[in-house]
């Protein structure tokens, strides 16, 4: 049951990554990147349930914190076209 | 066994939320309505999936970690979405007037 959910989530993550390719403005790409990383965290949580491993949750936690910091910095960098 | 079924059902509901978020990304024309729908539904889907995981795994260290993850993502996701939207607004992205009328279906 859980691996069906993981297949659906990977399909949704793939469709979100298409938005990164299509996105007319750069902020669409940033949004796609943010949603893609959120979906990857969900997939990690589902894999942690499937394989019953605790360390996968630490990976998801670290990845969400790093994604948070990097997206914040990219958003700030893009706002003034590179003049922080 | 009963707990596993209930957990699976709640995770299924979370998956439906996430798929609605994916649909929302492609349905809207301009960026602002897209980010409003995408990020909000994604956070709600994440919370639903993690409550399903917590219910499914019962009262163990595993569910305590998932609870910590939920708390942090609930804090992080809105902040990042706000940063992206304000970066778009300050960066000069304006929604042209005629697009507004199409979305409103007037």
């Amino acid at each position: 049951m859980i691996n069906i959910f993981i297949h659906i989530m990977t399909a949704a993550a793939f469709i979100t990554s298409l938005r990164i390719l299509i996105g007319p403005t750069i902020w669409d790409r940033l949004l796609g990147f943010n949603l893609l990383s959120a979906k990857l965290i969900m997939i990690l949580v589902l894999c942690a349930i499937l394989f019953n491993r605790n360390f996968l949750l630490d990976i998801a936690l670290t990845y969400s914190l790093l994604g948070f910091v990097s997206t914040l910095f990219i958003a700030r960098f893009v706002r003034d076209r590179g003049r922080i | 066994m009963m707990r596993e079924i209930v957990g699976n059902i709640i995770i299924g509901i979370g998956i439906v939320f996430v798929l609605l978020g994916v649909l929302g990304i492609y349905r809207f024309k301009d960026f602002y309505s897209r980010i409003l729908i995408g990020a909000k539904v994604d956070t709600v889907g994440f919370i639903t999936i993690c409550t399903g995981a917590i219910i499914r795994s019962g009262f163990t260290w595993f569910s305590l970690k998932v609870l910590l993850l939920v708390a942090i993502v609930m804090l992080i996701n809105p902040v990042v979405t706000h940063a992206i939207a304000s970066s778009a607004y300050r960066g000069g992205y304006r929604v042209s007037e005629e697009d507004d009328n199409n979305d409103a279906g007037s």
Side-chain angles (χ1 to χ4, degrees):
Chain A
M1 194 61 178
I2 288 288
N3 43 28
I4 299 172
F5 290 148
I6 292 178
H7 294 321
I8 298 171
M9 282 304 293
T10 33
F14 179 72
I15 296 170
T16 313
S17 60
L18 290 186
R19 170 50 64 182
I20 299 179
L21 291 178
I22 299 167
T25 63
I26 193 166
W27 294 288
D28 284 311
R29 294 191 173 91
L30 212 52
L31 169 66
F33 170 71
N34 181 28
L35 292 181
L36 179 65
S37 57
K39 286 184 179 50
L40 290 184
I41 297 167
M42 290 183 213
I43 292 170
L44 265 170
V45 170
L46 290 178
C47 287
I49 299 171
L50 185 65
F51 303 125
N52 215 347
R53 292 282 191 275
N54 269 349
F55 66 91
L56 284 177
L57 285 178
D58 308 336
I59 298 177
L61 194 64
T62 319
Y63 181 62
S64 72
L65 289 171
L66 288 179
F68 166 59
V69 172
S70 64
T71 311
L72 265 183
F73 184 77
I74 295 172
R76 186 182 166 84
F77 184 79
V78 165
R79 183 182 57 179
D80 299 332
R81 304 293 192 280
R83 290 180 300 279
I84 292 296
Chain B
M1 185 51 196
M2 184 58 191
R3 195 195 306 146
E4 192 171 330
I5 295 172
V6 171
N8 283 351
I9 290 171
I10 291 181
I11 290 177
I13 295 170
I15 299 271
V16 168
F17 282 154
V18 169
L19 292 180
L20 287 177
V22 169
L23 177 68
I25 289 175
Y26 288 98
R27 187 212 169 284
F28 290 105
K29 304 296 177 297
D30 57 320
F31 165 71
Y32 289 120
S33 48
R34 206 174 289 153
I35 192 171
L36 173 68
I37 295 301
K40 190 187 300 183
V41 173
D42 217 41
T43 311
V44 168
F46 187 87
I47 293 171
T48 319
I49 286 177
C50 285
T51 45
I54 287 169
I55 287 173
R56 186 189 156 98
S57 72
F59 195 71
T60 59
W61 291 108
F62 186 90
S63 61
L64 198 63
K65 271 187 183 176
V66 173
L67 208 62
L68 177 68
L69 189 64
V70 165
I72 287 195
V73 168
M74 259 168 52
L75 190 69
I76 276 179
N77 221 342
V79 171
V80 172
T81 313
H82 170 71
I84 296 174
S86 77
S87 145
Y89 187 75
R90 286 209 174 77
Y93 179 86
R94 292 296 181 270
V95 178
S96 50
E97 280 316 308
E98 68 277 2
D99 278 354
D100 279 353
N101 301 340
N102 297 345
D103 272 353
S106 60

